[in-house]
Amino acid sequence: MTKSVSRETKFLKKKPSIQLFLDASTSNTGVVIYEEKSKRILLDDINLSKIKKPLQMKPEDFEKLKFGCIKNYLDTLKNQYFITGVYMEGIFIYPKRLKSSQTLLKLHGFLMSYFIDTPQYFLSPSVIKKNITGDGHAKKETVRETLGLKYGYIFPNEDISDAFALFASYHEDIDKNKITVKEEDNERL
C-alpha cells in the first residue's frame, strides 16, 4: 500500500526551509533569515519608522497599520519559505516606558499567534548579551561591536545586529562569507 502525500505537503517540501530570527519592534524589526540547506544568512529589517501617522488617525489605528505592514512582510516570507522555527527575544517590560512596553507586548502576542503552528523559541536579552559578550548587562553598542569584530561585518542598524545576536546565540559555527544583506529596501510594505 502506498502512502499518499497531500498537494500541500508536496508544495511545502519544494520551498527552502528557514529559521527566522526577529528583534520585534513597531519602529524597525530586525530580521535574520537562516536558510538551513545552504546555510546562507540573510539580514533584513522591517523599517516602519518611515511611516508617518496621519493627523486624524487614532494611535491604536496607527498601531494596527504597523502590525499590518509586519504581517504583509511575514506573509511574503511564508510564500517563499517553509519556516521551521521562529526565534525572538523574550518579552520584557520597562516600568518607565509603560506605553511602549504595552505595544511591544501586543506585537509579541500578534507574532506568537501568527506563528501558532510553528515552533517558537525565546531568549531573554541578558542571556543573549552574555552569549555574545560574556556580560549579561552589556550595552547594545557593545553587543554590536563584539559581533562586528568577530564576524568582520558592520551591521546596518542595531535592530539587525540584535536579531543577529539572537541568531548567534543559537548557532556557533557561523560562516561569515554566508552573511548577506537583503538588497531591496522595505518599500514593498
Side-chain angles (χ1 to χ4, degrees), residues 27-115:
S27 59
N28 192 29
T29 293
V31 179
V32 172
I33 300 166
Y34 178 64
E35 292 180 356
E36 293 175 336
K37 188 174 181 179
S38 68
K39 302 212 182 300
R40 190 176 123 193
I41 304 159
L42 183 61
L43 308 179
D44 198 6
D45 61 357
I46 308 169
N47 190 345
L48 303 176
S49 64
K50 296 176 184 175
I51 302 173
K52 301 299 177 208
K53 182 179 130 347
L55 292 174
Q56 311 86 336
M57 187 177 277
K58 296 178 186 174
E60 56 271 13
D61 290 336
F62 188 54
E63 188 177 276
K64 289 176 191 174
L65 174 72
K66 288 183 170 189
F67 282 27
C69 292
I70 292 170
K71 181 188 178 301
N72 290 345
Y73 179 93
L74 297 174
D75 287 345
T76 301
L77 279 184
K78 275 189 164 183
N79 286 331
Q80 288 181 281
Y81 300 105
F82 176 66
I83 302 171
T84 60
V86 177
Y87 301 76
M88 291 185 275
E89 193 174 74
I91 299 170
F92 55 93
I93 296 174
Y94 291 118
K96 293 180 181 178
R97 297 184 189 152
L98 194 54
K99 184 71 175 155
S100 62
S101 292
Q102 287 173 336
T103 302
L104 190 59
L105 284 169
K106 288 180 196 176
L107 179 56
H108 272 263
F110 163 75
L111 291 169
M112 289 188 300
S113 65
Y114 183 88
F115 290 110

Side-chain angles (χ1 to χ4, degrees), residues 125-174:
S126 61
V127 169
I128 297 167
K129 290 174 181 181
K130 186 166 178 67
N131 288 342
I132 303 304
T133 67
D135 177 7
H137 301 288
K139 295 188 182 301
K140 280 182 171 247
E141 298 80 27
T142 305
V143 174
R144 187 174 179 183
E145 288 170 9
T146 302
L147 289 169
L149 290 171
K150 184 170 184 177
Y151 299 104
Y153 189 81
I154 298 171
F155 292 89
N157 60 55
E158 72 177 26
D159 302 295
I160 292 175
S161 69
D162 287 353
F164 190 83
L166 178 62
F167 168 75
S169 292
Y170 284 96
H171 294 275
E172 291 183 10
D173 58 336
I174 298 171

